[in-house]
Structures are given as structure tokens and as C-alpha cells.
């Protein structure tokens, strides 16, 4: 009950694989013998391996134009939003300054008795 157990990894297929896998040291490459030279058959060559797809993105000229136009559009939209936010801050600051001047003149007018 208190002895540790090594868990096994159940696969989705239902095959249970132990954690330690035996290693195979046998040579898996085929061995050619001299009797192949006596064979008169024409054997087909093994198909060439298919190159792995490269991770580089290849763009056509039209695709490149779309990417450039999209990037320029994104820059224009972000620039417009930032400029409008800056304009809103400037208008708010100007209105607060005008309110401060008006309040100061009203308070100074009451002190003088007008």
C-alpha cells in the first residue's frame, strides 16, 4: 500500500506504453550483396524525398501590395486616433483655463464690492 508505483502512459488508442523504452541496436539499413548484379530486372529508383516546407513566407507582388496597403491603413488609423485624443486633451485644457479665468474675475469682483 505504501510502496511507490511507476505510472504508465496510456495512449488514446488504448495501448499502454511503459516509461522506459528498450533501445534497438540493430542496423536498420539494408545490406546489398553481389547477387544483385546478376539480376536482369529493371528496378525502379526510390522516390526522391519531398523537401520540408520552408518557414519563410513567400509573397506575390499583389500580396505584397495588400500587406503594404494594410500597414499604411493601420498607421493612418492609429495616427488619427492619437491626434484626436491629443486634440481632446488640448480643448479640455483650454476650457478649464477659461473657466479658471472667469471664476477668478467673479471672485475678485465680489471682493471689491461690485
Amino acid at each position: 500500500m505504501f510502496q511507490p508505483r511507476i505510472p504508465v502512459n496510456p495512449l488514446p488508442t488504448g495501448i499502454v506504453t511503459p516509461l522506459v523504452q528498450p533501445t534497438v541496436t540493430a542496423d536498420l539499413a539494408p545490406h546489398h550483396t553481389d547477387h544483385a548484379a546478376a539480376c536482369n530486372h529493371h528496378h525502379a529508383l526510390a522516390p526522391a524525398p519531398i523537401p520540408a516546407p520552408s518557414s519563410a513566407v513567400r509573397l506575390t507582388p499583389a500580396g505584397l501590395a495588400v500587406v503594404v496597403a494594410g500597414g499604411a491603413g493601420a498607421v493612418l488609423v492609429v495616427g488619427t486616433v492619437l491626434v484626436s485624443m491629443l486634440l481632446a486633451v488640448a480643448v479640455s485644457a483650454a476650457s478649464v483655463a477659461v473657466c479658471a479665468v472667469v471664476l477668478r474675475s467673479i471672485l475678485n469682483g465680489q471682493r471689491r464690492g461690485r
Side-chain angles (χ1 to χ4, degrees):
M1 179 175 163
F2 294 107
Q3 294 179 353
R5 295 182 186 174
I6 298 175
V8 292
N9 297 328
L11 297 176
T13 58
I15 300 171
V16 178
T17 309
L19 290 176
V20 177
Q21 297 287 334
T23 58
V24 178
T25 58
D27 187 15
L28 298 178
H31 297 287
H32 297 288
T33 58
D34 291 336
H35 76 79
C39 180
N40 291 329
H41 296 25
H42 296 287
H43 298 282
L45 297 174
I50 299 172
S54 63
S55 62
V57 177
R58 298 177 191 260
L59 291 175
T60 61
L64 184 62
V66 168
V67 169
V68 168
V75 167
L76 289 176
V77 167
V78 169
T80 303
V81 168
L82 291 177
V83 166
S84 63
M85 288 172 60
L86 180 65
L87 184 62
V89 168
V91 167
S92 299
S95 64
V96 167
V98 168
C99 289
V101 169
V102 169
L103 285 174
R104 190 175 79 179
S105 68
I106 290 174
L107 290 175
N108 284 340
Q110 286 180 351
R111 286 184 198 161
R112 292 184 186 160
R114 293 184 183 177

